[in-house]
Structures are given as structure tokens and as C-alpha cells.
């Protein structure tokens, strides 16, 4: 076979590990460990971002003059800026070192936000004594810091209740948030690369959907755990400490177990990339190349549509639920968590179907059409029926199942049409586009929330009104649907996987073969 000849000639004179590459794709059980760590890191990063979103009043009472929304904005703007560096950093240092470094940076950011967590609940005088020593050393270091830096840790800016509770000064909270915001893109922009490097061609969309959408679970956890813990200064301190401990444990596991790449490629397309010796260009050059590639802008538009709709609905979940008759905070938190969980489940289920069929276009069109259908009940009120909480929650879950999968499916589609491009560069562009458009759309949606349009005034059974924000989301989905219907670019990576008669059945699972 031509590919076998290329592979043998390309490995002549190279090191022994390269000569041991098999001629057929192989997968390894380590891929699930890789996916688990990247998914949990993504979960933690968005949990930190939205940690006080469920209890903004308590946060603002603990930090007078600050707001939970501003802290989230700081995180998101840092996230966007970091996306411009991810591709070049991963290219220079590799996926393994980049993820480990980002995990460590996130843990440091958590530590700045929480201070030394209270470990007395673990028991043992040694642990308590060690924590006291670290705390005293920290105070001594603070005393010799330059004035500009020491202002960040000046506890005089805190209220008496916040000081007694052990909360860190707002300056440290902001600095820690910036650290976490800078780390997050390394978990959000690398899922397509992880999938391509570790997973077979019939597993990639599912793996990408899992890692890319697991951050939604972080948002759900922020609503459920934050809503119950962060209701006063003491609760906020314990809450931040819990996040720091979980992040530290995950970081230690990542450093010990996360690997750079498998012993051999998992798909024919990855073998072909190794044969060609593809070198990834700098990020800005990659961006120019991506936008000049036929078909790239269409999955980009679908990705932006999906992330904009889910972000807007998540941001204004309180208003959406209250106008539909769900007014108690626990009910709102559970509905928000259900929405985020539906996004993950939809991505895994529908992504699994796309893995088997490669039907990117019809599946995306169906998801966009379903999104248009499910978004309407979120702001529609029939005057004869009144509020229908059951219908509202059903529509919210349906929207998560339909709209959420559009992101990972079109992340994979963009990588497919631009093959052999840099997967991290592709996802970085999509994340920048999605987050920037979301940031611009949020104030528009906030204005539209107060716009009300009535239809069929003269027909009593049909007399109803609809909110402006829902019309905005419906329009975004409809325009994207029309634009996406023009997609006709070739699937370059899928074609490479099918060369030489390759199909999914010849992929060897090393763990299964060994048993």
C-alpha cells in the first residue's frame, strides 16, 4: 500500500520509537484517562467563572462596591485574550506540558481567591500545624512586598464580617480570577486536538462533545453548590476553599497521569499527518489559512450561534423561569442545572451518531431547526392558558439537547474541512468568535427582555405575546440555518481516514487485543 510505503520510508533513520509505529490505527485505554482529566479541568474552570453567579447579593455584601457580573466579565475578557496564545504555546511545549501548566496556574488562581483552605476537618494536629505555618509565612512575605503589590492583599478594604470570615482582599480575588481565566482556554481549545491524537475516527465527535461541553456541568455545579453554600461571608470562604482543594487534587492527578500522546496514532488521517511531517504555523498565519479554506466559515457561524444562544439563556435564566411561572430560587437553580446537563447529554448522544455516520450537515440543520422550535416557548405567553411551567421546563431541556450539540459537531466539522490544519487553532478561532459575539449580544438581549409583542389580539384562543429576547434568539438560529444550508465543502480528514480501504473496523484497541 502507498501509505505503508510512505510510513516505512518516513521512519527510516529516525528513532526506535518511530520505527515501531504499527501500520494500522490503534487506540489505547489511556485515552479515557486523558478525556476524563480534560473534562474535569473544563468543569472546574467554568465553575470558578460562575462561582458566585447564583448568590450575587451575598457576594456584593461581602465585597461592597464589587459585583458578581463584573468578576465574570473579567474572567471572560481574560479568556478571550488567552485564546490568542494557546495555539503557539501548545505547538512549542506540547499538549501534555501545556495542560499541566494550565492546571497549575488555575490552582494558583484558586489559592489566591480562597487563601489557605481550612483543613481542620481532615483531623490531625500535623495538618493544622502545617496550615498555621504556611499562614504565618504568608503574612511575613506580605510585609516585605512593594507597596503596589501589598495593596492587593490589604485586608483593610474588607468589611469586618469578611475579615472575620477569612475572605481574601478583592484585589487578590481579581488576580486569581485572571489566572483562572488565562488557564481556561487550554481546556476549551484543545478537545479537538485531544480527540484527533487519541481517539479513533468513529469516536472523535463524542470525545470532543464530552470535553467541550463538560464546562456546562461546571456552570450547573456553580448554581447548585454556590446557591447553597455562598449565602454569607463564612459560606463564601468555605465555598472558595472547597473549590481550591478540588482543583489542587485534580492538578496533582493531571501532573502524574496526563500524557503527551499515545505510542501510535489512532486513525489513518493521523498516520498521514505524521508521514507528511506537518508543521503547525504560528497562530495568526493559521487564522489566515483557515479563513481562506472553503467551508470553514460555515461551521464557525454554527458554533457562534450555539454558544451565543446557550450563553444568553444561561445568563438570563432567572428572568426566563420567572416569566414562565417558576419563581422559587431552588426551582430556578434546578432548571438551570438541567439545561446545562441537557447540553452535555445532547452532545454525547448526537455526537455519537455523527461519529458513526459523518452526517455533519443534516444533523446540524436538524439541530438548528429544533433550536428554533424550542426557543419560542421560553418567551411565549398564551393569554388564555396563562403560565405553563411544565411546558417551559420541557422547552428549556429540549433547547439544551438540540442547541448544545451544535458546538462540538461543528468543531469537528471545521477540523475535518481544514485538515491537516492545527486543531487547536481551529477551536481557538471558534472560542474567540463565540465569546466575543456572546459578549456583544448579552446587552442586546438584556434590552430585548423588556420588549413585548402581542399577536392575534382579536382571536381569543390565539391571543398571545412574545418577548423580544426570544425573537432575537429565534432570528439568530434562523439566519444560521439558512447560511449553513449552503455548506458543500469536502470532508478532507474523513477522506483521509477512508483511503486505502480504511474503515472503523480495522482500528485495533490495544487493551482489548491484550485481553
Amino acid at each position: 500500500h502507498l501509505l505503508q510505503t510512505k510510513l516505512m520510508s518516513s521512519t527510516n533513520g529516525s528513532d526506535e520509537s518511530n520505527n515501531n509505529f504499527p501500520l494500522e490505527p490503534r487506540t489505547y485505554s489511556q485515552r479515557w484517562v486523558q478525556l476524563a482529566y480534560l473534562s474535569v479541568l473544563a468543569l472546574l474552570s467554568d465553575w470558578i467563572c460562575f462561582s458566585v453567579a447564583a448568590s450575587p447579593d451575598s457576594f456584593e455584601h461581602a465585597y461592597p462596591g464589587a459585583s458578581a457580573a463584573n468578576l465574570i466579565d473579567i474572567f471572560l475578557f481574560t479568556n478571550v485574550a488567552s485564546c490568542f496564545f494557546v495555539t503557539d504555546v501548545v505547538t512549542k511545549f506540547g499538549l501534555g506540558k501545556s495542560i499541566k501548566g494550565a492546571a497549575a496556574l488555575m490552582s494558583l488562581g484558586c489559592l489566591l481567591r480562597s487563601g489557605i483552605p481550612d483543613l481542620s476537618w481532615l483531623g490531625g494536629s500535623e495538618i493544622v500545624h502545617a496550615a498555621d505555618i504556611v499562614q504565618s509565612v504568608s503574612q511575613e512575605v506580605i510585609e516585605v512586598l512593594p507597596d503596589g503589590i501589598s495593596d492587593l492583599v490589604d485586608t483593610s478594604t474588607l468589611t469586618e464580617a469578611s475579615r472575620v470570615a477569612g475572605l481574601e482582599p478583592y484585589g487578590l480575588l481579581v488576580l486569581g480570577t485572571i489566572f483562572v481565566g488565562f488557564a481556561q482556554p487550554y481546556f476549551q481549545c484543545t478537545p479537538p486536538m485531544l480527540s484527533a491524537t487519541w481517539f479513533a475516527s468513529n469516536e472523535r465527535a463524542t470525545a470532543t462533545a464530552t470535553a467541550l461541553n463538560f464546562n456546562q456541568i461546571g456552570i450547573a455545579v456553580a448554581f447548585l453548590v454556590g446557591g447553597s453554600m455562598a449565602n454569607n461571608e463564612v459560606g463564601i470562604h468555605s465555598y472558595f476553599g472547597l473549590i481550591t482543594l478540588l482543583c489542587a487534587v485534580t492538578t496533582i492527578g493531571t501532573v502524574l497521569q496526563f500524557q503527551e500522546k499515545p505510542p501510535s496514532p489512532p486513525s489513518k488521517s493521523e498516520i498521514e499527518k505524521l508521514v507528511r511531517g506537518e508543521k503547525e504555523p504560528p497562530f495568526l498565519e493559521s487564522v489566515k489559512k483557515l479563513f481562506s479554506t472553503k467551508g470553514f466559515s460555515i461551521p464557525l457561524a454554527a458554533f457562534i450561534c450555539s454558544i451565543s444562544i446557550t450563553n444568553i439563556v444561561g445568563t438570563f435564566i432567572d428572568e426566563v423561569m420567572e416569566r414562565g411561572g417558576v419563581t422559587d430560587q431552588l426551582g430556578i437553580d434546578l432548571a438551570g442545572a438541567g439545561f446545562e446537563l441537557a447540553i452535555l447529554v445532547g452532545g454525547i448522544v448526537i455526537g455519537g451518531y455523527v461519529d458513526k455516520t459523518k452526517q455533519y450537515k443534516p444533523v446540524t440543520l436538524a439541530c438548528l431547526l429544533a433550536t428554533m422550535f424550542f426557543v419560542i416557548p421560553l418567551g411565549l405567553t398564551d393569554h388564555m392558558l396563562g403560565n405553563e411551567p411544565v411546558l417551559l421546563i420541557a422547552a428549556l431541556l429540549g433547547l439544551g439537547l438540540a442547541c448544545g450539540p451544535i458546538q462540538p459537531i461543528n468543531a469537528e466539522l471545521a477540523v475535518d474541512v481544514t485538515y491537516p490544519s492545527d486543531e487547536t487553532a481551529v477551536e481557538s478561532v471558534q472560542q474567540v468568535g463565540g465569546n466575543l459575539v456572546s459578549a456583544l449580544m448579552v446587552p442586546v438581549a438584556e434590552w430585548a427582555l423588556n420588549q413585548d409583542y402581542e399577536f392575534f389580539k382579536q382571536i381569543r384562543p390565539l391571543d398571545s405575546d412574545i418577548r423580544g429576547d426570544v425573537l432575537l434568539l429565534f432570528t439568530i438560529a434562523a439566519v444560521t440555518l439558512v447560511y449553513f444550508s449552503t455548506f458543500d465543502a469536502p470532508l478532507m480528514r474523513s477522506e483521509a481516514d477512508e483511503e486505502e480501504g480504511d474503515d472503523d473496523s480495522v482500528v485495533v484497541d490495544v487493551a482489548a487485543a491484550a485481553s
Side-chain angles (χ1 to χ4, degrees):
H1 292 297
L2 177 60
L3 183 56
Q4 294 179 2
T5 303
K6 286 181 179 179
L7 184 60
M8 293 173 65
S9 62
S10 68
T11 56
N12 285 339
S14 60
D15 59 44
E16 183 180 354
S17 62
N18 285 340
N19 284 319
N20 288 334
F21 278 164
L23 297 182
E24 71 278 356
R26 290 190 175 182
T27 57
Y28 300 82
S29 58
Q30 173 67 21
R31 69 190 187 279
W32 303 113
V33 176
Q34 303 285 110
L35 180 62
Y37 275 114
L38 193 62
S39 299
V40 173
L41 289 167
L43 181 157
L44 287 168
S45 65
D46 252 16
W47 181 2
I48 296 163
C49 173
F50 292 91
S51 55
V52 293
S55 52
D57 293 339
S58 299
F59 176 78
E60 290 162 18
H61 185 268
Y63 292 97
S67 76
N70 287 343
L71 200 63
I72 294 173
D73 283 343
I74 291 170
F75 183 100
L76 293 177
F77 279 117
T78 307
N79 177 295
V80 171
S82 179
C83 285
F84 289 93
F85 300 96
V86 174
T87 300
D88 293 339
V89 170
V90 173
T91 298
K92 183 174 181 179
F93 297 104
L95 181 62
K97 290 180 180 178
S98 299
I99 296 299
K100 293 174 183 178
L105 182 63
M106 183 167 69
S107 291
L108 177 59
C110 288
L111 188 61
L112 291 174
R113 286 164 53 98
S114 69
I116 305 299
D118 180 13
L119 301 176
S120 60
W121 56 275
L122 291 174
S125 58
E126 296 84 358
I127 294 177
V128 176
H129 183 60
D132 290 339
I133 292 175
V134 172
Q135 191 70 40
S136 63
V137 170
S138 299
Q139 292 299 325
E140 292 177 4
V141 171
I142 290 172
E143 292 176 0
V144 298
L145 289 174
D147 292 342
I149 298 177
S150 62
D151 288 344
L152 291 174
V153 295
D154 184 6
T155 57
S156 65
T157 60
L158 294 170
T159 65
E160 182 63 25
S162 297
R163 265 197 306 273
V164 171
L167 290 177
E168 295 302 310
Y170 186 69
L172 279 184
L173 190 66
V174 170
L175 182 60
T177 300
I178 290 173
F179 280 10
V180 180
F182 198 87
Q184 190 189 50
Y186 291 87
F187 318 133
Q188 285 189 331
C189 297
T190 54
M193 181 180 185
L194 181 84
S195 299
T197 305
W198 285 89
F199 287 85
S201 61
N202 64 337
E203 298 174 332
R204 287 189 298 238
T206 303
T208 298
T210 302
L212 202 58
N213 283 338
F214 225 75
N215 65 311
Q216 306 295 336
I217 304 303
I219 301 174
V221 172
F223 277 100
L224 294 177
V225 180
S228 62
M229 287 187 68
N231 46 29
N232 55 45
E233 286 83 354
V234 174
I236 292 173
H237 181 250
S238 299
Y239 178 47
F240 284 175
L242 172 64
I243 295 174
T244 298
L245 286 175
L246 293 175
C247 192
V249 170
T250 304
T251 297
I252 292 171
T254 301
V255 171
L256 294 176
Q257 295 185 299
F258 197 88
Q259 298 181 10
E260 173 65 26
K261 58 185 177 181
S264 58
S267 63
K268 190 63 67 70
S269 56
E270 282 301 295
I271 294 176
E272 183 67 23
K273 284 184 71 173
L274 288 172
V275 169
R276 294 177 180 179
E278 296 288 345
K279 299 295 183 182
E280 309 299 352
F283 177 67
L284 294 180
E285 291 183 23
S286 294
V287 171
K288 294 178 182 178
K289 184 177 180 180
L290 291 173
F291 278 102
S292 66
T293 302
K294 179 182 179 181
F296 172 75
S297 61
I298 295 179
L300 173 63
F303 186 97
I304 292 174
C305 167
S306 174
I307 198 172
S308 297
I309 291 176
T310 55
N311 281 350
I312 289 173
V313 172
T315 300
F316 300 108
I317 192 71
D318 285 29
E319 289 84 351
V320 171
M321 291 293 102
E322 287 172 2
R323 71 191 179 201
V326 181
T327 57
D328 65 288
Q329 191 59 49
L330 178 60
I332 293 172
D333 291 344
L334 290 174
F339 174 63
E340 305 297 345
L341 181 61
I343 292 174
L344 175 64
V345 172
I348 293 174
V349 173
I350 298 177
Y353 173 76
V354 173
D355 270 330
K356 294 180 175 63
T357 64
K358 305 302 179 188
Q359 296 295 307
Y360 296 104
K361 182 176 180 178
V363 170
T364 299
L365 291 174
C367 286
L368 287 169
L369 191 61
T371 296
M372 295 167 60
F373 174 78
F374 284 120
V375 79
I376 291 296
L378 300 186
L380 179 67
T381 301
D382 188 297
H383 293 172
M384 187 171 179
L385 295 176
N387 292 330
E388 292 291 337
V390 174
L391 175 62
L392 176 67
I393 293 174
L396 184 68
L397 297 178
L399 179 64
L401 289 169
C403 190
I406 296 174
Q407 292 178 50
I409 289 172
N410 281 275
E412 285 296 303
L413 176 58
V415 171
D416 207 322
V417 299
T418 59
Y419 173 84
S421 62
D422 184 346
E423 298 91 351
T424 305
V426 170
E427 187 55 25
S428 296
V429 171
Q430 291 189 326
Q431 290 288 344
V432 169
N435 287 326
L436 281 179
V437 172
S438 294
L440 294 173
M441 294 302 298
V442 165
V444 177
E446 189 173 14
W447 169 83
L449 275 170
N450 301 315
Q451 310 305 310
D452 200 16
Y453 303 94
E454 189 171 358
F455 297 93
F456 306 111
K457 295 182 181 179
Q458 307 305 321
I459 307 174
R460 177 58 180 165
L462 299 179
D463 186 14
S464 57
D465 64 74
I466 190 168
R467 297 298 179 96
D469 58 322
V470 166
L471 287 178
L472 173 66
L473 300 183
F474 181 89
T475 302
I476 292 172
V479 171
T480 305
L481 177 71
V482 173
Y483 182 47
F484 198 91
S485 64
T486 65
F487 178 82
D488 65 347
L491 304 180
M492 304 300 294
R493 186 171 67 173
S494 294
E495 291 177 2
D497 285 326
E498 293 169 0
E499 283 183 1
E500 303 288 334
D502 180 46
D503 59 69
D504 298 333
S505 62
V506 302
V507 179
V508 177
D509 189 310
V510 172
S515 61

